[in-house]
Amino acid sequence: MNLMLMGLPGAGKGTQAEKIVDAYHIPHISTGDMFRAAMADQTELGVKAKSFIDKGELVPDDVTNGIVEERLAQADTNVGYLLDGFPRTLDQADALAAITDKLNKPLDGVINIDVDPEILADRLSGRFICKNCGATYHKLYHPTKVEGTCDRCGEHVFFQREDDKPETVKNRLKVNIEMNTPLLDYYEKRNLLYTVDGNQEIDDVFSAVQKVLDTIKD
Ligand code: ADP
Ligand code: AMP
């Protein structure tokens, strides 16, 4: 299955991606994760991306489209893929269509995790991430089962994202909300859009996602 997860920052894309990847064994391709890895390694890409990410802005399309094209050309995506955080603009959506046509890996469905925007800042401010495996937690809504130990890999070191600071969050949400409606329309018109209610608890959101994936598989 070739899938894309849509949703505003904090909607739960990364959280649901972990569950989808475990259940369906397809690679998770998150442009945000790719940029954070490049920033941690201080590569040329990382240095460039950081100047935008720190302000809550989008990284320019030419940079972002390039890393996605390279990633989708890799053989592990032949069994399917789960895009997360890309595309975020209409130009990126057109670029993705061109890339997936060229590679003969067209999207089968877009899952939109719909969440009331008022609750997103709260989700982002409580988010923490395992330094080793990238699993995502929330201090109130999704704590680790054993305090200070990652449920997935047992790591004890976690980090908070720099861009989850309230100053950056405000601009990130503004930028992303503006882009969201036209993108939803874009995929709706192409009969690829499936919306799930992301205001529910994490496991209930996943049940809704699974129902959608069952219809896409048939
Ligand atoms: P995104 O990848 O869309 O930015 P995340 O999956 O990182 O979002 O989730 C943002 C934060 O909200 C995390 O701290 C996560 O644990 C928490 N979260 C995710 N889904 C839910 C949910 N359904 N209810 C409450 N908190 C959630
Ligand atoms: P995310 O982890 O998806 O919340 O992304 C973190 C940040 O990386 C975003 O706020 C953007 O600055 C940048 N980014 C991630 N994906 C994209 C994209 N598709 N286009 C432009 N910038 C992106």
Side-chain angles (χ1 to χ4, degrees), residues 5-45:
L5 277 176
M6 257 186 84
L8 294 169
K13 299 180 296 297
T15 301
Q16 296 303 321
E18 281 174 43
K19 292 177 177 290
I20 296 170
V21 163
D22 284 350
Y24 297 88
H25 310 290
I26 51 177
H28 176 207
I29 302 177
S30 154
T31 41
D33 284 352
M34 288 157 89
F35 288 135
R36 279 184 291 281
M39 290 194 293
D41 293 342
Q42 297 184 327
T43 63
E44 199 182 320
L45 170 70

Coordinates of all heavy atoms in Angstrom, one line a residue, residues 5-45:
L5 N 0.0 10.3 5.1 CA -0.7 10.8 6.3 C -0.7 12.3 6.2 O 0.3 12.9 6.1 CB 0.1 10.4 7.5 CG -0.1 9.0 8.1 CD1 0.8 8.8 9.3 CD2 -1.6 8.8 8.5
M6 N -1.9 12.8 6.4 CA -2.0 14.3 6.5 C -2.6 14.7 7.8 O -3.3 13.9 8.5 CB -3.0 14.8 5.4 CG -2.4 15.4 4.2 SD -3.6 16.0 3.1 CE -3.8 17.6 3.8
G7 N -2.3 15.9 8.2 CA -2.8 16.4 9.5 C -1.9 17.5 9.9 O -0.7 17.5 9.6
L8 N -2.4 18.4 10.7 CA -1.7 19.6 11.2 C -0.6 19.1 12.1 O -0.7 18.0 12.7 CB -2.6 20.6 11.8 CG -3.6 21.2 10.9 CD1 -4.7 22.0 11.6 CD2 -2.9 22.1 9.9
P9 N 0.4 19.9 12.4 CA 1.4 19.5 13.4 C 0.8 19.2 14.7 O -0.1 20.0 15.2 CB 2.3 20.8 13.6 CG 2.2 21.5 12.3 CD 0.7 21.3 11.8
G10 N 1.1 18.0 15.3 CA 0.5 17.6 16.5 C -0.8 16.8 16.4 O -1.3 16.2 17.3
A11 N -1.2 16.6 15.1 CA -2.5 15.8 14.9 C -2.3 14.3 15.3 O -3.3 13.7 15.6 CB -2.9 15.9 13.4
G12 N -1.1 13.8 15.2 CA -0.9 12.4 15.6 C -0.3 11.6 14.4 O -0.4 10.4 14.5
K13 N 0.3 12.2 13.4 CA 0.8 11.5 12.3 C 1.9 10.5 12.7 O 1.9 9.3 12.3 CB 1.3 12.5 11.2 CG 0.3 13.4 10.7 CD 0.8 14.4 9.6 CE 1.9 15.3 10.1 NZ 1.5 16.2 11.2
G14 N 2.9 11.0 13.4 CA 4.0 10.2 13.8 C 3.5 9.0 14.7 O 4.0 7.9 14.6
T15 N 2.6 9.3 15.6 CA 2.1 8.3 16.5 C 1.3 7.2 15.8 O 1.5 6.0 16.0 CB 1.1 9.0 17.5 OG1 1.8 10.0 18.2 CG2 0.5 8.0 18.5
Q16 N 0.5 7.6 14.8 CA -0.2 6.6 14.0 C 0.7 5.9 13.1 O 0.5 4.7 12.8 CB -1.4 7.2 13.3 CG -2.5 7.8 14.2 CD -3.1 6.8 15.1 OE1 -3.3 5.6 14.8 NE2 -3.3 7.2 16.4
A17 N 1.7 6.6 12.6 CA 2.7 6.0 11.7 C 3.4 4.8 12.3 O 3.6 3.8 11.7 CB 3.7 7.0 11.2
E18 N 3.8 5.0 13.6 CA 4.4 3.9 14.3 C 3.5 2.6 14.3 O 4.0 1.5 14.1 CB 4.6 4.2 15.8 CG 5.8 5.1 16.1 CD 5.8 5.6 17.5 OE1 5.6 4.7 18.4 OE2 6.1 6.8 17.8
K19 N 2.2 2.8 14.5 CA 1.3 1.7 14.6 C 1.1 1.1 13.2 O 1.0 -0.1 13.0 CB 0.0 2.1 15.2 CG 0.1 2.5 16.6 CD -1.2 3.0 17.2 CE -1.1 3.3 18.7 NZ -1.0 2.1 19.5
I20 N 1.0 1.9 12.2 CA 0.8 1.4 10.8 C 2.0 0.6 10.3 O 1.8 -0.4 9.7 CB 0.5 2.6 9.8 CG1 -0.8 3.3 10.2 CG2 0.4 2.2 8.4 CD1 -1.0 4.7 9.5
V21 N 3.2 1.2 10.6 CA 4.4 0.5 10.2 C 4.5 -0.9 10.9 O 4.9 -1.9 10.2 CB 5.6 1.4 10.5 CG1 6.9 0.6 10.5 CG2 5.7 2.6 9.6
D22 N 4.2 -1.0 12.1 CA 4.2 -2.2 12.8 C 3.2 -3.2 12.2 O 3.5 -4.4 12.1 CB 3.9 -2.1 14.3 CG 5.0 -1.5 15.1 OD1 6.1 -1.4 14.5 OD2 4.8 -1.1 16.3
A23 N 2.0 -2.7 11.9 CA 1.0 -3.7 11.4 C 1.1 -4.0 9.9 O 0.8 -5.1 9.6 CB -0.4 -3.0 11.7
Y24 N 1.6 -3.1 9.1 CA 1.6 -3.3 7.7 C 3.0 -3.4 7.0 O 3.1 -3.7 5.8 CB 0.8 -2.2 7.0 CG -0.7 -2.2 7.4 CD1 -1.1 -1.5 8.5 CD2 -1.6 -2.9 6.8 CE1 -2.4 -1.4 9.0 CE2 -3.0 -2.9 7.2 CZ -3.3 -2.2 8.3 OH -4.6 -2.2 8.7
H25 N 4.0 -3.3 7.9 CA 5.4 -3.5 7.4 C 5.8 -2.7 6.1 O 6.3 -3.3 5.2 CB 5.7 -5.0 7.2 CG 5.2 -5.8 8.3 ND1 5.9 -5.8 9.5 CD2 4.2 -6.7 8.5 CE1 5.3 -6.6 10.4 NE2 4.2 -7.1 9.8
I26 N 5.5 -1.4 6.2 CA 5.9 -0.6 5.1 C 6.8 0.5 5.7 O 6.6 0.9 6.8 CB 4.7 0.0 4.3 CG1 3.7 0.7 5.2 CG2 4.0 -1.0 3.4 CD1 2.5 1.4 4.5
P27 N 7.8 1.0 4.9 CA 8.7 2.0 5.5 C 8.0 3.4 5.7 O 7.1 3.8 4.9 CB 9.8 2.2 4.4 CG 9.3 1.6 3.2 CD 8.2 0.6 3.5
H28 N 8.3 4.0 6.8 CA 7.8 5.3 7.2 C 8.7 6.4 6.7 O 9.9 6.4 7.0 CB 7.7 5.3 8.7 CG 7.3 6.6 9.3 ND1 7.7 7.0 10.6 CD2 6.5 7.6 8.9 CE1 7.2 8.2 10.9 NE2 6.4 8.6 9.8
I29 N 8.2 7.3 5.9 CA 9.0 8.3 5.3 C 8.5 9.7 5.8 O 7.5 10.2 5.3 CB 9.0 8.3 3.7 CG1 9.4 6.9 3.3 CG2 9.8 9.4 3.1 CD1 9.4 6.7 1.8
S30 N 9.2 10.2 6.8 CA 8.8 11.5 7.4 C 9.8 12.5 7.0 O 11.0 12.4 7.3 CB 8.7 11.3 8.9 OG 8.9 12.6 9.5
T31 N 9.4 13.5 6.2 CA 10.4 14.6 5.8 C 10.9 15.3 7.1 O 12.1 15.7 7.1 CB 9.7 15.6 4.8 OG1 8.4 15.8 5.3 CG2 9.7 15.0 3.4
G32 N 10.0 15.5 8.1 CA 10.5 16.1 9.3 C 11.6 15.3 10.0 O 12.6 15.9 10.4
D33 N 11.4 14.0 10.0 CA 12.5 13.1 10.6 C 13.7 13.2 9.8 O 14.9 13.2 10.3 CB 12.0 11.6 10.6 CG 11.0 11.4 11.8 OD1 10.8 12.3 12.6 OD2 10.4 10.2 11.8
M34 N 13.6 13.2 8.5 CA 14.8 13.3 7.6 C 15.5 14.6 7.9 O 16.8 14.6 7.9 CB 14.4 13.1 6.1 CG 14.0 11.7 5.8 SD 12.9 11.6 4.4 CE 14.1 11.5 3.1
F35 N 14.8 15.7 8.0 CA 15.5 17.0 8.3 C 16.1 17.0 9.6 O 17.3 17.5 9.8 CB 14.5 18.1 8.2 CG 14.0 18.5 6.8 CD1 12.7 18.7 6.5 CD2 15.0 18.6 5.7 CE1 12.3 19.0 5.2 CE2 14.6 18.9 4.4 CZ 13.2 19.1 4.2
R36 N 15.4 16.4 10.6 CA 16.0 16.4 12.0 C 17.3 15.5 12.0 O 18.3 15.9 12.7 CB 15.0 15.9 13.0 CG 14.1 17.0 13.5 CD 13.1 16.5 14.6 NE 12.2 15.6 14.1 CZ 11.1 15.9 13.4 NH1 10.8 17.2 13.1 NH2 10.2 15.0 13.0
A37 N 17.3 14.4 11.3 CA 18.5 13.6 11.2 C 19.7 14.4 10.6 O 20.8 14.4 11.0 CB 18.2 12.3 10.5
A38 N 19.3 15.1 9.5 CA 20.4 15.9 8.8 C 20.9 17.0 9.7 O 22.1 17.4 9.7 CB 19.8 16.4 7.5
M39 N 20.0 17.6 10.5 CA 20.4 18.7 11.4 C 21.3 18.1 12.5 O 22.3 18.8 12.8 CB 19.2 19.4 12.0 CG 18.4 20.2 11.0 SD 17.2 21.3 11.8 CE 16.0 20.2 12.5
A40 N 21.0 17.0 13.0 CA 21.8 16.4 14.0 C 23.2 16.1 13.5 O 24.2 16.2 14.2 CB 21.1 15.1 14.6
D41 N 23.3 15.6 12.2 CA 24.6 15.3 11.6 C 25.2 16.5 11.0 O 26.3 16.4 10.5 CB 24.4 14.3 10.5 CG 23.9 12.9 11.0 OD1 24.1 12.7 12.2 OD2 23.4 12.1 10.2
Q42 N 24.6 17.7 11.1 CA 25.1 18.9 10.6 C 25.6 18.8 9.1 O 26.6 19.3 8.7 CB 26.2 19.4 11.5 CG 25.7 19.8 12.8 CD 26.7 20.4 13.7 OE1 27.9 20.1 13.6 NE2 26.3 21.3 14.6
T43 N 24.8 18.1 8.3 CA 25.1 18.0 6.9 C 24.7 19.3 6.2 O 24.0 20.2 6.8 CB 24.3 16.9 6.2 OG1 22.9 17.2 6.3 CG2 24.6 15.5 6.9
E44 N 25.0 19.5 4.9 CA 24.7 20.7 4.2 C 23.1 20.9 4.2 O 22.6 21.9 4.4 CB 25.2 20.5 2.8 CG 25.3 21.8 2.0 CD 25.8 21.6 0.6 OE1 26.7 20.7 0.4 OE2 25.2 22.2 -0.3
L45 N 22.4 19.7 4.0 CA 21.0 19.8 4.0 C 20.5 20.2 5.4 O 19.6 21.0 5.5 CB 20.4 18.4 3.7 CG 18.9 18.2 3.9 CD1 18.1 18.9 2.8 CD2 18.6 16.7 3.8

